[in-house]
Amino acid sequence: MFITGINGPDGRVTWVAGAAPSGCGKTTTAMAGNRFVGDDLAQMWIDESGSVRSINPECGIFGIVEDVNQEGDPMLMDRLRNPGSEVIWSNVLIDETGTPHWTGNGEAQPIRGRNFQGPWKKGLNDANGKEIPISHPNARCTIASSALANYADEAEAPEGVETRVITYSGRDSDTMPPVWVAKNSDHGVVIGACIVSAATATEVGASGVKRAPWANAPFIPGALGDYMKAQFDFFGSAAIAEGKRPILAGLNYFLTHEARGGSGKKLLGEKKDVKAWLAWLERRAHGDVEAIATPIGFIPRYADLKALFQERIDKPYPEDLYNRQFSLYVDNILARIDLQTTAYAKEENIPPRLFEVLKEQREGLVALKEKFGPVVTPDQLAEADARVYRDRQSHRHDPGCLVRRYLL
């Protein structure tokens, strides 16, 4: 889990902790915050005041460097390329001048050097005739956190930081939107349980495998059911004070053009867009922005994101892009729910609440599809949201008469 602080309005700092499998952007997301605490581990507890606190037990980062570049990771690249920081490298290529290089660094690549398998030159093939890349997929850098420009003084605080946002993310190219917030803590834990991600080079012999259930299952030391129950119990604990309960959310900036009606496997957006997603979560945690209710949770409104893209990364955010990113591709999500339901049914002692939430979401999505078709736009979602609100108001004295077919 990463821990990072997001600067909000009027000098406010909101602390975010996020879980993701290895190679799914934890370091990039941590560095996108204004105040870096950690990029890999978080120890969390509920203090006597009812706040969720987080602390990083490490003093440095040990990050995968594949695709780390100036465009998406400018502060980290500054430390990796400029004098003044001691860096430990593994599985990169060292060229004839002693400079490390790695896949996706956005720089001119050398034609020879030495890497994880020995002497290397461009076009070198392995025994199976496959070209050997410039660096191993598990190439990493290790650097002291204190060397980073956005390192937070609070990282040294033994009381930790008050954590108001929890995110879950993986490498999801075709299903979920870039950011969405759970309706409550139980739905939030289900977001984490249903993250699907390709396995990474940190798992020997498993690269390319789609992980289900629970994308970081290879890193769980105990029974999956116990692990999930601990999260339901922790985030739903009555010990968390009113007004201090974190929002739980999904993050996904790996959507591709081809998954949303275009062509090509390039990202539908940029890595740096995560600054806008985090800024929206910061405001949502404090009730500063409204959202559109959907069966999977709450998604942002266009006007709020447009303003945050301009404020945080000085970038236009066209409404067409918003519609492609935040339309619900219902059949994809239903397939994901069915995948998780089937997979978890084979596991022992899975909390029943997981299946209840998935059933609720499935019914809501099916109702949306019946009304609007397999692709539901944000405008249509807002229409359904408003209709449910009107129904609730008109039947507020008789909850049994609510129009349940929208289940939003």
Side-chain angles (χ1 to χ4, degrees), residues 200-227:
T200 71
T202 57
E203 301 174 52
V204 177
S207 292
V209 176
K210 272 213 165 183
R211 284 293 178 203
W214 208 288
N216 64 335
F219 306 97
I220 297 172
L224 197 57
D226 294 343
Y227 183 73

Side-chain angles (χ1 to χ4, degrees), residues 148-220:
L148 302 173
N150 62 340
Y151 182 65
D153 292 339
E154 292 89 344
E156 303 297 334
E159 69 274 14
V161 294
E162 182 180 354
T163 307
R164 296 297 303 274
V165 180
I166 306 292
T167 69
Y168 295 96
S169 55
R171 297 182 72 95
D172 182 356
S173 64
D174 58 13
T175 301
M176 303 305 286
V179 62
W180 72 105
V181 172
K183 298 177 185 179
N184 53 48
S185 64
D186 283 358
H187 280 245
V189 173
V190 172
I191 290 177
C194 293
I195 290 293
V196 168
S197 181
T200 71
T202 57
E203 301 174 52
V204 177
S207 292
V209 176
K210 272 213 165 183
R211 284 293 178 203
W214 208 288
N216 64 335
F219 306 97
I220 297 172

Side-chain angles (χ1 to χ4, degrees), residues 6-14 34-35 282-283 286 288 308 311-312:
I6 309 299
N7 291 346
D10 302 321
R12 181 177 69 204
V13 178
T14 301
N34 305 101
R35 305 184 184 215
E282 192 278 336
R283 283 157 173 74
H286 295 279
D288 294 346
L308 289 170
E311 174 190 321
R312 290 303 170 112

Side-chain angles (χ1 to χ4, degrees), residues 299-350:
I299 64 171
R301 295 180 180 273
Y302 172 65
D304 296 321
L305 286 181
K306 181 181 179 181
L308 289 170
F309 265 78
Q310 189 65 45
E311 174 190 321
R312 290 303 170 112
I313 51 179
D314 192 24
K315 176 182 174 180
Y317 185 58
E319 192 165 8
D320 172 66
L321 177 57
Y322 166 78
N323 286 329
R324 283 187 288 159
Q325 289 179 325
F326 287 94
S327 290
L328 297 190
Y329 281 60
V330 176
D331 288 337
N332 288 7
I333 305 175
L334 289 175
R336 176 70 51 81
I337 290 173
D338 292 344
L339 171 74
Q340 298 293 346
T341 301
T342 300
Y344 277 117
K346 299 175 183 178
E347 301 289 328
E348 295 183 359
N349 300 320
I350 297 298

Side-chain angles (χ1 to χ4, degrees), residues 52-73:
V52 174
R53 315 294 297 194
S54 301
I55 194 169
N56 173 23
E58 298 181 313
C59 64
I61 66 173
F62 177 50
I64 290 177
V65 291
E66 184 171 319
D67 293 332
V68 169
N69 53 56
Q70 187 65 39
E71 179 183 2
D73 308 274

